[in-house]
Amino acid sequence: VSTQSTGLFQNKHTQKHLKTMQRLIQQAESGGLMQRLANSYRRMTHVHRYGLRYEDILAESPTVDEALRRLPERELVMRDQRLKQAFVLSQRKYYLPVTEQRDPTKMEYYLRPLIEEVEEEEEERAAFRAGIISPLTVGKSE
């Protein structure tokens, strides 16, 4: 189940917030002020009230789609269940009970390592096509 097929979180205002959140999350790993801003932003989006993780609502792109394809079956099923549950709660205008909501300040990544792997492969392919690296140098250590 994708966010597009469920219609969940699809208005322009929310998409703008999601892009801002993605940027803040990437910068949050440096700590300090950015970490506090990212945590505040995550709380403001209220996705945790639906039981979602941040990466459950990433905007679809070829990179994210490939990372989802590589995701272990169990994680993919859990993601789909969270999206379905969020859709039902959203339609009924309910939130999960506070005891079942995810902590919005927790950085729980399940997709990020795969996204980074896909991005590295895309960069390597682009460098290969541009002639920056040759097939003989791929995989060799210096």
Side-chain angles (χ1 to χ4, degrees):
V1 173
S2 70
T3 55
Q4 286 183 341
S5 64
T6 61
L8 188 64
F9 309 115
Q10 289 301 305
N11 65 41
K12 289 181 183 180
H13 182 68
T14 304
Q15 287 298 322
K16 178 182 148 194
H17 285 295
L18 292 176
K19 287 179 183 178
T20 303
M21 187 173 175
Q22 287 174 345
R23 189 174 48 19
L24 288 173
I25 295 296
Q26 291 170 352
Q27 295 172 352
E29 292 181 348
S30 63
L33 177 63
M34 289 310 297
Q35 179 70 42
R36 289 192 303 272
L37 286 173
N39 289 342
S40 296
Y41 191 80
R42 249 187 256 125
R43 280 190 297 273
M44 285 182 351
T45 60
H46 303 291
V47 296
H48 64 283
R49 292 182 177 179
Y50 294 104
L52 294 172
R53 291 182 178 183
Y54 164 71
E55 292 178 325
D56 290 339
I57 58 169
L58 286 177
E60 291 187 14
S61 69
T63 302
V64 172
D65 289 343
E66 177 61 22
L68 286 170
R69 191 186 66 73
R70 296 178 185 190
L71 198 62
E73 173 111 12
R74 184 175 185 276
E75 280 291 333
L76 191 59
V77 168
M78 290 171 43
R79 176 183 185 271
D80 287 345
Q81 288 174 345
R82 286 190 301 270
L83 287 168
K84 288 175 186 176
Q85 177 185 36
F87 178 72
V88 170
L89 289 169
S90 176
Q91 291 298 313
R92 294 181 181 171
K93 300 187 183 333
Y94 290 122
Y95 292 131
L96 282 176
V98 175
T99 57
E100 295 180 32
Q101 292 179 12
R102 297 192 169 277
D103 181 1
T105 61
K106 266 188 161 177
M107 300 280 240
E108 298 174 333
Y109 297 116
Y110 67 96
L111 198 56
R112 178 178 251 180
L114 294 172
I115 290 174
E116 290 172 354
E117 182 181 299
V118 171
E119 288 173 343
E120 286 175 14
E121 289 173 7
E122 289 171 353
E123 289 172 10
E124 188 175 308
R125 257 188 235 106
F128 179 74
R129 287 183 186 127
I132 297 172
I133 59 172
S134 71
L136 301 175
T137 60
V138 175
K140 289 187 178 180
S141 58
E142 295 181 25

